[in-house]
Amino acid sequence: MISLRAWFMVLVLYLIAICTLLSRSATNSDFLFLSSVDKRDLDGTGHRMDHLGLTGGKLIRLFEKHLVHVASKDRGDVPIKVSRYYDAFKDYLFDESSKCNPVRSVVARLTRDVEPVPIHSHNDYWRSLPLFEALAYGATSVEADVWIVKDPQDSQKNALAVAHNENYIDSVHQSLDNLYTDLLLQMLNEVNCQDEDRSHGVFFDSPETTLFLFIDFKSQDNRETYSLLMNRYLKPLIDQNYTSYYDMNQHKMVWRQITVVLTGDFPNDLDVVDEDLDHGYFHDDKRYVTLESSIIDQSTMIPNTSVMAASSFSEMLEGCHSSLANAVWRGRLDHQEITCMKSMISKTQQNGVRTRIWGVPNWPRRTVKTFWRQIVDDLQSDVLNVDKLRLATRRF
Ligand SMILES: *[C@@H]1O[C@H](CO)[C@@H](O)[C@H](O)[C@H]1NC(C)=O
Ligand SMILES: *[C@@H]1O[C@H](CO)[C@@H](O)[C@H](O)[C@H]1NC(C)=O
């Protein structure tokens, strides 16, 4: 017995040694790769870190691994906008050569070889790379919390900034257009500039896949938030025909590249959303936003306005005479909980509405993975709400 155990220990140590060596050599070669790219910049070819050829999660991991290197790069007098990391990443993606050149476009640089997955990037704006990281991992749904702020360019006007907490708002660099809507507009313009139908979306290999853009209303004055959202931030996307809409004449959804979903404290009232009840906010018989409804309580849903419903994990468990504590303690959902929650999900889906369950605990990891599996496989919920993108994409 003892000798067997000793042999086992030797084997384990041996494996650890091999793994360490392998990971070392991988790091070194990546590092060489990146520094040779940098050398080329120094040669004065004009293209810092040109077209690396890595996309998706690999690109993100390359930047992450060399964060110090990337961030300490001498950028002259260029001031920091969002962060050195974000600014460097964005500079890499967006440069002159990508204009009207779909193969060199931001969409190609970021999402070529990336398979879109039904994942919702919860608190997306909180990541070190808002929007970009989600798209790189193929998440088809992102969420931005918006607040009304004084417009930094014009103190007479208001604007919308993206932040989690009202006390920490950078209205200059973290505005809704700087982090989301302007970037999406540029990205879509690049890939559609030679296309008659203008129907290419943000995923290179799956141009027809729509991106759900959740706008979470945080400020008290939700009418003003709505009016700013429509007139200032969404209008440019709408004018280019990039947003999905409900056709008020044909009574059906028309899917485009970006599908806007209002969540949080939004005005759940067609007098505000449509303003002109017969012809819609822009008087063109189209409704360019959809309203999030609830999985548990569908009574508040206005007919034909919703494509996404959500409820929290704990609310659903309580609606099923259980609790979050019970489920976490057990480490999985039991048969009764599954049957009950599944019926809530199916009822929502029967109305043509997709479902998202939020508030699934982030810890312990094994339990999280079990819950995710049960939510996707057993409950057949449509969109998985996650904080950890990389871990979640391995599920699909
Ligand atoms: C958007 O669609 C409308 C109606 O189909 C069309 O008239 C208009 O030219 C399109 N706009 C652009 C920028 O393609
Ligand atoms: C909702 O859509 C259906 C067709 O799918 C239509 O018959 C009905 O009139 C619509 N209701 C409203 C309020 O638009």
Side-chain angles (χ1 to χ4, degrees):
M1 258 332 252
I2 287 172
S3 72
L4 197 61
R5 184 189 286 182
W7 272 113
F8 182 68
M9 288 298 290
V10 169
L11 185 66
V12 167
L13 287 172
Y14 181 71
L15 284 176
I16 290 177
I18 294 232
C19 288
T20 314
L21 276 176
L22 281 180
S23 64
R24 278 264 174 108
S25 62
T27 314
N28 282 339
S29 64
D30 275 356
F31 199 80
L32 279 179
F33 171 47
L34 196 74
S35 55
S36 69
V37 172
D38 277 352
K39 277 216 191 74
R40 208 171 49 187
D41 315 337
L42 296 178
D43 291 347
T45 48
H47 278 126
R48 285 180 312 105
M49 292 209 292
D50 207 359
H51 200 31
L52 289 177
L54 286 182
T55 60
K58 284 185 189 152
L59 179 67
I60 300 279
R61 292 197 288 282
L62 180 76
F63 266 80
E64 264 170 10
K65 202 183 260 172
H66 300 291
L67 187 52
V68 176
H69 196 67
V70 169
S72 65
K73 211 132 76 102
D74 182 13
R75 291 165 54 83
D77 292 335
V78 182
I80 297 175
K81 290 179 182 155
V82 175
S83 67
R84 281 234 190 270
Y85 180 33
Y86 181 90
D87 297 352
F89 194 83
K90 190 178 158 199
D91 277 0
Y92 164 68
L93 287 180
F94 290 81
D95 72 21
E96 287 304 312
S97 72
S98 57
K99 296 231 166 61
C100 202
N101 187 354
V103 222
R104 306 273 291 193
S105 62
V106 174
V107 166
R109 288 175 196 217
L110 193 59
T111 69
R112 203 191 57 222
D113 298 332
V114 172
E115 190 190 339
V117 283
I119 284 181
H120 174 81
S121 174
H122 179 238
N123 284 344
D124 183 71
Y125 55 89
W126 217 344
R127 302 183 189 286
S128 15
L129 300 174
L131 183 65
F132 302 138
E133 193 177 342
L135 294 179
Y137 283 108
T140 48
S141 184
V142 295
E143 167 191 332
D145 290 12
V146 299
W147 300 85
I148 300 173
V149 292
K150 283 260 158 293
D151 187 335
Q153 261 100 53
D154 177 352
S155 61
Q156 305 296 309
K157 284 197 198 155
N158 281 341
L160 291 178
V162 176
H164 190 60
N165 183 314
E166 204 169 6
N167 295 327
Y168 300 99
I169 296 181
D170 171 356
S171 56
V172 178
H173 301 115
Q174 314 227 9
S175 55
L176 182 58
D177 44 353
N178 277 344
L179 291 189
Y180 291 92
T181 51
D182 256 10
L183 301 178
L184 289 168
L185 182 66
Q186 283 185 56
M187 289 168 71
L188 293 171
N189 279 341
E190 284 174 11
V191 284
N192 286 295
C193 78
Q194 299 167 357
D195 173 23
E196 291 259 303
D197 296 339
R198 306 177 61 76
S199 59
H200 284 269
V202 291
F203 296 103
F204 188 83
D205 299 305
S206 182
E208 71 290 349
T209 299
T210 194
L211 175 73
F212 289 92
L213 175 62
F214 280 71
I215 304 292
D216 193 338
F217 282 52
K218 290 291 180 187
S219 292
Q220 218 160 24
D221 190 346
N222 61 15
R223 287 175 177 240
E224 178 166 16
T225 303
Y226 183 70
S227 132
L228 284 166
L229 175 70
M230 295 306 281
N231 295 310
R232 178 162 176 182
Y233 298 94
L234 295 184
K235 191 71 172 47
L237 288 164
I238 290 171
D239 285 344
Q240 296 295 322
N241 296 337
Y242 292 149
T243 45
S244 302
Y245 58 88
Y246 180 73
D247 185 322
M248 297 166 81
N249 293 324
Q250 310 272 324
H251 299 290
K252 61 167 197 193
M253 272 304 285
V254 175
W255 295 95
R256 302 289 297 164
Q257 290 92 329
I258 310 285
T259 304
V260 180
V261 184
L262 310 188
T263 178
D265 191 17
F266 65 89
N268 192 31
D269 176 355
L270 287 188
D271 282 330
V272 180
V273 171
D274 287 343
E275 217 169 70
D276 172 351
L277 284 177
D278 293 326
H279 301 291
Y281 193 82
F282 292 118
H283 315 287
D284 57 359
D285 299 341
K286 293 171 181 156
R287 182 185 301 123
Y288 294 101
V289 295
T290 66
L291 312 181
E292 186 180 69
S293 53
S294 156
I295 298 176
I296 296 184
D297 176 14
Q298 292 185 54
S299 65
T300 54
M301 184 172 110
I302 306 170
N304 302 339
T305 57
S306 188
V307 294
M308 282 273 193
S311 282
S312 76
F313 198 46
S314 63
E315 238 183 330
M316 289 181 71
L317 282 161
E318 276 152 32
C320 291
H321 311 290
S322 180
S323 71
L324 184 59
N326 272 343
V328 172
W329 177 251
R330 205 187 300 116
R332 59 182 170 79
L333 299 172
D334 70 12
H335 186 69
Q336 181 266 332
E337 287 160 349
I338 289 177
T339 312
C340 170
M341 289 166 85
K342 172 99 196 322
S343 100
M344 294 176 175
I345 299 267
S346 310
K347 269 198 206 114
T348 313
Q349 288 166 337
Q350 275 156 24
N351 291 327
V353 176
R354 291 154 216 235
T355 58
R356 171 175 69 98
I357 301 174
W358 55 273
V360 176
N362 271 325
W363 189 88
R365 191 179 267 219
R366 180 196 282 258
T367 309
V368 177
K369 284 182 170 172
T370 307
F371 284 152
W372 284 355
R373 181 176 52 71
Q374 293 189 305
I375 286 172
V376 175
D377 297 343
D378 299 338
L379 303 183
Q380 312 236 307
S381 180
D382 306 86
V383 183
L384 192 60
N385 182 90
V386 304
D387 289 303
K388 296 187 168 73
L389 286 170
R390 192 175 164 195
L391 188 66
T393 50
R394 286 194 220 140
R395 237 221 65 87
F396 289 93

